[in-house]
Amino acid sequence: LAAASGAAAEEATVRVLLAQGPGPVEIDTADGHLARLTAAAGAVRRVEGETAPWIRFPAGPGLAVRSGGGFSARALGGDAVVWPTEGGLALVEEVPLEAYVAGTLAGELGPSWAPAVLEAQAVAVRSYVLHQSERRGERPWDVVADTESQVYAGPEAEFPAARTAAERTRGQVLVWQDRPILAAYHSASGGRTASAEEVWGQPLAYLVTQPVAEEHDSPDTYWRVELLATTLGRALERRGHPIGEVRRAVVRERSDSGRALRVAFEGSEGTAEMTGRELRSALGETVLRSTLFELRRGDAGAFVFVGSGYGHGVGMSQWGARGLARGGADYREILAHFYPGTALAPIAPAPPVAARGETE
């Protein structure tokens, strides 16, 4: 996935994993036929007769995947390619880069967001996918269409302001040492972003903790979750810590940005310790919205998490960007705040595969 310049960016193709599952999968082809596909010993078999290492369906107005077999129904804007995987089938959409940017803006933000925020998000989306593409290895896709990578909602969800933001920033990426950066972002930081080192254990010079003063409109500026001791114990047991009913819980260590790094538990049948990220995953990321929380004892043996922010906290805060835009910042100033030390540049050719790797 590479283009020689911003002008050539439209020629780049992003390979997006839409879904994978056991199959079968049904596709309405652009020429009006129905294709039924199943996995067949490391290959893909079309029920109508064809078996191949992979099968491609060219883009067109009628191209769509039907529901069933782990695949959600949706219209497709690019070519559909079905690959075999260990668990069955993988559905990959190959879509032009700028169409991918607009479709991801539709998944990450909405039409009410300020143009400066949409433009900053467009550059972040483009930078992120180019960074991931250079590191995909042998996978037949660059990114996943959900929060594992970025939320690509596709052409049906696009709105005019998303297309405008993609066009106004066409071919622009953030670079560090001349390569596209890992342009991480999240919903709300809770007042200070996290560094890449504290969250992922990988120090990156442009992903450091930054103050965020204008997130007050975020619905996740403050949140509170109360969990029964038995509920918390069951969540720990599912993650390999069968300590029974939780009697005591305390944050043992915090990061420079104030996030919970390690949380210790005492239960009726033992003790356990987890990272804040592990605990968030165990309880559910929509339940424990971030690792920036205080932990208290509530009524009737419950535990209360009082927190701020939503997401991993690294990179650009979308609600923080909204606050900066309200104060008059343009997309360049927003990006400079959240990704310090990076430069805005046109897309450059990708390095040879043998030379690829993290250099940040």
Short mmCIF file of all heavy atoms in Angstrom, two decimals, residues 243-281:
data_model
loop_
_atom_site.label_atom_id
_atom_site.label_comp_id
_atom_site.label_asym_id
_atom_site.label_seq_id
_atom_site.Cartn_x
_atom_site.Cartn_y
_atom_site.Cartn_z
N ILE A 243 -10.24 -16.54 42.68
CA ILE A 243 -10.00 -16.14 44.07
C ILE A 243 -11.30 -16.02 44.86
O ILE A 243 -11.29 -15.57 46.01
CB ILE A 243 -9.23 -14.81 44.14
CG1 ILE A 243 -10.06 -13.65 43.58
CG2 ILE A 243 -7.90 -14.93 43.40
CD1 ILE A 243 -9.42 -12.27 43.83
N GLY A 244 -12.41 -16.45 44.27
CA GLY A 244 -13.68 -16.41 44.97
C GLY A 244 -14.26 -15.01 45.03
O GLY A 244 -13.97 -14.15 44.18
N GLU A 245 -15.07 -14.77 46.06
CA GLU A 245 -15.70 -13.46 46.21
C GLU A 245 -14.65 -12.43 46.62
O GLU A 245 -13.88 -12.64 47.57
CB GLU A 245 -16.79 -13.53 47.27
CG GLU A 245 -17.55 -12.21 47.46
CD GLU A 245 -18.68 -12.36 48.46
OE1 GLU A 245 -19.29 -13.45 48.49
OE2 GLU A 245 -18.94 -11.39 49.19
N VAL A 246 -14.59 -11.34 45.91
CA VAL A 246 -13.57 -10.32 46.17
C VAL A 246 -13.92 -9.55 47.45
O VAL A 246 -15.04 -9.08 47.62
CB VAL A 246 -13.45 -9.34 44.98
CG1 VAL A 246 -12.41 -8.25 45.30
CG2 VAL A 246 -13.03 -10.10 43.72
N ARG A 247 -12.91 -9.46 48.34
CA ARG A 247 -13.12 -8.76 49.60
C ARG A 247 -12.38 -7.42 49.66
O ARG A 247 -12.76 -6.53 50.41
CB ARG A 247 -12.67 -9.65 50.76
CG ARG A 247 -13.54 -10.90 50.92
CD ARG A 247 -13.00 -11.84 51.97
NE ARG A 247 -13.90 -12.97 52.19
CZ ARG A 247 -13.58 -14.04 52.92
NH1 ARG A 247 -12.38 -14.12 53.49
NH2 ARG A 247 -14.45 -15.02 53.08
N ARG A 248 -11.31 -7.32 48.88
CA ARG A 248 -10.52 -6.09 48.90
C ARG A 248 -9.90 -5.88 47.53
O ARG A 248 -9.46 -6.85 46.89
CB ARG A 248 -9.43 -6.18 49.97
CG ARG A 248 -8.62 -4.90 50.15
CD ARG A 248 -7.72 -5.00 51.40
NE ARG A 248 -6.93 -3.79 51.58
CZ ARG A 248 -5.70 -3.62 51.13
NH1 ARG A 248 -5.10 -4.61 50.46
NH2 ARG A 248 -5.05 -2.49 51.32
N ALA A 249 -9.85 -4.65 47.08
CA ALA A 249 -9.22 -4.31 45.80
C ALA A 249 -8.56 -2.95 45.93
O ALA A 249 -9.13 -2.03 46.52
CB ALA A 249 -10.25 -4.29 44.68
N VAL A 250 -7.35 -2.84 45.39
CA VAL A 250 -6.61 -1.60 45.51
C VAL A 250 -5.71 -1.40 44.30
O VAL A 250 -5.17 -2.36 43.76
CB VAL A 250 -5.76 -1.58 46.81
CG1 VAL A 250 -4.74 -2.70 46.81
CG2 VAL A 250 -5.09 -0.23 47.01
N VAL A 251 -5.59 -0.16 43.84
CA VAL A 251 -4.67 0.17 42.75
C VAL A 251 -3.26 0.24 43.34
O VAL A 251 -2.97 1.08 44.19
CB VAL A 251 -5.04 1.50 42.08
CG1 VAL A 251 -4.01 1.86 41.01
CG2 VAL A 251 -6.44 1.44 41.48
N ARG A 252 -2.38 -0.66 42.89
CA ARG A 252 -1.02 -0.74 43.43
C ARG A 252 -0.05 0.24 42.76
O ARG A 252 0.89 0.71 43.39
CB ARG A 252 -0.48 -2.16 43.23
CG ARG A 252 -1.10 -3.22 44.09
CD ARG A 252 -0.53 -3.18 45.48
NE ARG A 252 -0.92 -4.36 46.23
CZ ARG A 252 -1.15 -4.37 47.53
NH1 ARG A 252 -1.03 -3.24 48.22
NH2 ARG A 252 -1.49 -5.48 48.15
N GLU A 253 -0.27 0.51 41.49
CA GLU A 253 0.69 1.33 40.76
C GLU A 253 -0.05 2.14 39.70
O GLU A 253 -0.98 1.65 39.07
CB GLU A 253 1.74 0.44 40.10
CG GLU A 253 2.82 1.19 39.35
CD GLU A 253 3.80 0.25 38.67
OE1 GLU A 253 3.65 -0.98 38.78
OE2 GLU A 253 4.72 0.77 37.99
N ARG A 254 0.40 3.38 39.52
CA ARG A 254 -0.18 4.26 38.51
C ARG A 254 0.90 4.76 37.56
O ARG A 254 2.08 4.84 37.91
CB ARG A 254 -0.89 5.45 39.15
CG ARG A 254 -2.14 5.08 39.91
CD ARG A 254 -2.94 6.29 40.33
NE ARG A 254 -4.13 5.90 41.08
CZ ARG A 254 -5.28 5.55 40.53
NH1 ARG A 254 -5.40 5.57 39.21
NH2 ARG A 254 -6.31 5.19 41.26
N SER A 255 0.47 5.09 36.36
CA SER A 255 1.38 5.62 35.35
C SER A 255 1.58 7.11 35.55
O SER A 255 0.94 7.74 36.41
CB SER A 255 0.81 5.37 33.95
OG SER A 255 -0.35 6.19 33.76
N ASP A 256 2.45 7.70 34.75
CA ASP A 256 2.70 9.14 34.83
C ASP A 256 1.44 9.95 34.53
O ASP A 256 1.31 11.08 35.01
CB ASP A 256 3.80 9.54 33.85
CG ASP A 256 5.17 9.03 34.26
OD1 ASP A 256 5.32 8.65 35.44
OD2 ASP A 256 6.07 8.99 33.40
N SER A 257 0.52 9.40 33.73
CA SER A 257 -0.71 10.11 33.42
C SER A 257 -1.83 9.80 34.41
O SER A 257 -2.96 10.26 34.24
CB SER A 257 -1.18 9.77 32.00
OG SER A 257 -1.58 8.41 31.91
N GLY A 258 -1.52 9.01 35.45
CA GLY A 258 -2.50 8.73 36.49
C GLY A 258 -3.32 7.47 36.28
O GLY A 258 -4.19 7.15 37.09
N ARG A 259 -3.05 6.73 35.21
CA ARG A 259 -3.84 5.54 34.93
C ARG A 259 -3.39 4.35 35.79
O ARG A 259 -2.23 4.26 36.18
CB ARG A 259 -3.74 5.20 33.44
CG ARG A 259 -4.53 6.18 32.59
CD ARG A 259 -4.19 6.12 31.11
NE ARG A 259 -5.15 6.91 30.34
CZ ARG A 259 -5.11 8.23 30.22
NH1 ARG A 259 -4.15 8.92 30.81
NH2 ARG A 259 -6.01 8.86 29.51
N ALA A 260 -4.33 3.45 36.05
CA ALA A 260 -4.04 2.27 36.87
C ALA A 260 -3.18 1.29 36.08
O ALA A 260 -3.63 0.77 35.05
CB ALA A 260 -5.34 1.61 37.31
N LEU A 261 -1.96 1.07 36.55
CA LEU A 261 -1.08 0.10 35.90
C LEU A 261 -1.26 -1.29 36.48
O LEU A 261 -1.29 -2.29 35.74
CB LEU A 261 0.38 0.53 36.05
CG LEU A 261 0.83 1.73 35.23
CD1 LEU A 261 2.30 2.03 35.51
CD2 LEU A 261 0.61 1.50 33.74
N ARG A 262 -1.38 -1.39 37.82
CA ARG A 262 -1.55 -2.69 38.47
C ARG A 262 -2.61 -2.57 39.55
O ARG A 262 -2.63 -1.61 40.33
CB ARG A 262 -0.24 -3.19 39.07
CG ARG A 262 0.90 -3.29 38.04
CD ARG A 262 1.97 -4.26 38.49
NE ARG A 262 1.49 -5.64 38.48
CZ ARG A 262 1.41 -6.40 37.37
NH1 ARG A 262 1.78 -5.92 36.20
NH2 ARG A 262 0.97 -7.63 37.45
N VAL A 263 -3.50 -3.58 39.59
CA VAL A 263 -4.58 -3.63 40.57
C VAL A 263 -4.50 -4.96 41.31
O VAL A 263 -4.40 -6.02 40.67
CB VAL A 263 -5.97 -3.48 39.90
CG1 VAL A 263 -7.06 -3.39 40.96
CG2 VAL A 263 -6.00 -2.25 39.00
N ALA A 264 -4.50 -4.91 42.64
CA ALA A 264 -4.39 -6.12 43.46
C ALA A 264 -5.74 -6.45 44.09
O ALA A 264 -6.51 -5.55 44.47
CB ALA A 264 -3.34 -5.91 44.55
N PHE A 265 -6.02 -7.75 44.21
CA PHE A 265 -7.29 -8.23 44.75
C PHE A 265 -7.04 -9.28 45.83
O PHE A 265 -6.14 -10.11 45.72
CB PHE A 265 -8.15 -8.86 43.65
CG PHE A 265 -8.48 -7.94 42.51
CD1 PHE A 265 -7.66 -7.87 41.40
CD2 PHE A 265 -9.60 -7.13 42.58
CE1 PHE A 265 -7.96 -7.02 40.35
CE2 PHE A 265 -9.90 -6.27 41.53
CZ PHE A 265 -9.09 -6.22 40.42
N GLU A 266 -7.87 -9.23 46.87
CA GLU A 266 -7.92 -10.29 47.87
C GLU A 266 -9.33 -10.87 47.85
O GLU A 266 -10.31 -10.12 47.87
CB GLU A 266 -7.60 -9.74 49.26
CG GLU A 266 -6.19 -9.23 49.42
CD GLU A 266 -5.94 -8.68 50.81
OE1 GLU A 266 -6.81 -8.87 51.69
OE2 GLU A 266 -4.88 -8.06 51.02
N GLY A 267 -9.41 -12.21 47.78
CA GLY A 267 -10.70 -12.86 47.73
C GLY A 267 -10.85 -13.90 48.81
O GLY A 267 -9.92 -14.17 49.58
N SER A 268 -12.01 -14.53 48.84
CA SER A 268 -12.29 -15.55 49.85
C SER A 268 -11.44 -16.80 49.63
O SER A 268 -11.29 -17.61 50.55
CB SER A 268 -13.77 -15.92 49.81
OG SER A 268 -14.14 -16.37 48.50
N GLU A 269 -10.84 -16.94 48.45
CA GLU A 269 -10.07 -18.14 48.16
C GLU A 269 -8.68 -17.85 47.61
O GLU A 269 -8.05 -18.71 47.01
CB GLU A 269 -10.84 -19.02 47.16
CG GLU A 269 -12.20 -19.48 47.68
CD GLU A 269 -12.97 -20.27 46.64
OE1 GLU A 269 -12.34 -20.82 45.72
OE2 GLU A 269 -14.21 -20.32 46.75
N GLY A 270 -8.19 -16.62 47.81
CA GLY A 270 -6.84 -16.34 47.35
C GLY A 270 -6.67 -14.89 46.95
O GLY A 270 -7.54 -14.03 47.19
N THR A 271 -5.53 -14.60 46.32
CA THR A 271 -5.21 -13.24 45.89
C THR A 271 -4.85 -13.25 44.40
O THR A 271 -4.52 -14.30 43.84
CB THR A 271 -4.03 -12.66 46.69
OG1 THR A 271 -2.87 -13.47 46.45
CG2 THR A 271 -4.35 -12.63 48.18
N ALA A 272 -4.88 -12.07 43.80
CA ALA A 272 -4.52 -11.95 42.38
C ALA A 272 -4.09 -10.52 42.11
O ALA A 272 -4.39 -9.60 42.88
CB ALA A 272 -5.70 -12.31 41.49
N GLU A 273 -3.36 -10.36 41.03
CA GLU A 273 -2.96 -9.03 40.58
C GLU A 273 -3.07 -8.99 39.06
O GLU A 273 -2.68 -9.93 38.37
CB GLU A 273 -1.53 -8.72 41.02
CG GLU A 273 -1.15 -7.27 40.80
CD GLU A 273 0.15 -6.90 41.51
OE1 GLU A 273 0.14 -6.91 42.76
OE2 GLU A 273 1.14 -6.63 40.82
N MET A 274 -3.61 -7.90 38.55
CA MET A 274 -3.79 -7.73 37.11
C MET A 274 -3.33 -6.34 36.72
O MET A 274 -3.33 -5.42 37.53
CB MET A 274 -5.27 -7.90 36.71
CG MET A 274 -5.89 -9.23 37.07
SD MET A 274 -7.64 -9.29 36.61
CE MET A 274 -7.55 -9.42 34.83
N THR A 275 -2.99 -6.19 35.43
CA THR A 275 -2.75 -4.85 34.92
C THR A 275 -4.09 -4.15 34.74
O THR A 275 -5.14 -4.79 34.64
CB THR A 275 -2.01 -4.87 33.59
OG1 THR A 275 -2.87 -5.43 32.58
CG2 THR A 275 -0.72 -5.69 33.67
N GLY A 276 -4.05 -2.83 34.68
CA GLY A 276 -5.28 -2.09 34.44
C GLY A 276 -5.91 -2.46 33.11
O GLY A 276 -7.14 -2.57 32.99
N ARG A 277 -5.08 -2.69 32.09
CA ARG A 277 -5.60 -3.07 30.77
C ARG A 277 -6.26 -4.45 30.84
O ARG A 277 -7.32 -4.66 30.22
CB ARG A 277 -4.47 -3.10 29.74
CG ARG A 277 -3.94 -1.72 29.36
CD ARG A 277 -2.86 -1.85 28.32
NE ARG A 277 -3.37 -2.41 27.07
CZ ARG A 277 -2.63 -3.03 26.18
NH1 ARG A 277 -1.33 -3.23 26.39
NH2 ARG A 277 -3.17 -3.49 25.06
N GLU A 278 -5.65 -5.39 31.56
CA GLU A 278 -6.25 -6.72 31.70
C GLU A 278 -7.59 -6.64 32.41
O GLU A 278 -8.55 -7.32 32.03
CB GLU A 278 -5.30 -7.64 32.45
CG GLU A 278 -4.06 -8.04 31.68
CD GLU A 278 -3.03 -8.75 32.53
OE1 GLU A 278 -3.09 -8.61 33.79
OE2 GLU A 278 -2.15 -9.41 31.97
N LEU A 279 -7.66 -5.83 33.45
CA LEU A 279 -8.91 -5.68 34.18
C LEU A 279 -9.99 -5.07 33.30
O LEU A 279 -11.14 -5.51 33.31
CB LEU A 279 -8.69 -4.83 35.43
CG LEU A 279 -9.92 -4.58 36.30
CD1 LEU A 279 -10.49 -5.90 36.82
CD2 LEU A 279 -9.58 -3.65 37.47
N ARG A 280 -9.62 -4.06 32.53
CA ARG A 280 -10.60 -3.43 31.63
C ARG A 280 -11.12 -4.43 30.62
O ARG A 280 -12.31 -4.48 30.32
CB ARG A 280 -9.96 -2.23 30.93
CG ARG A 280 -10.93 -1.44 30.09
CD ARG A 280 -10.35 -0.14 29.58
NE ARG A 280 -11.35 0.53 28.76
CZ ARG A 280 -11.17 0.93 27.52
NH1 ARG A 280 -9.99 0.78 26.93
NH2 ARG A 280 -12.15 1.50 26.85
N SER A 281 -10.23 -5.26 30.08
CA SER A 281 -10.64 -6.28 29.13
C SER A 281 -11.54 -7.31 29.80
O SER A 281 -12.53 -7.76 29.21
CB SER A 281 -9.41 -6.96 28.53
OG SER A 281 -9.76 -7.99 27.65
#
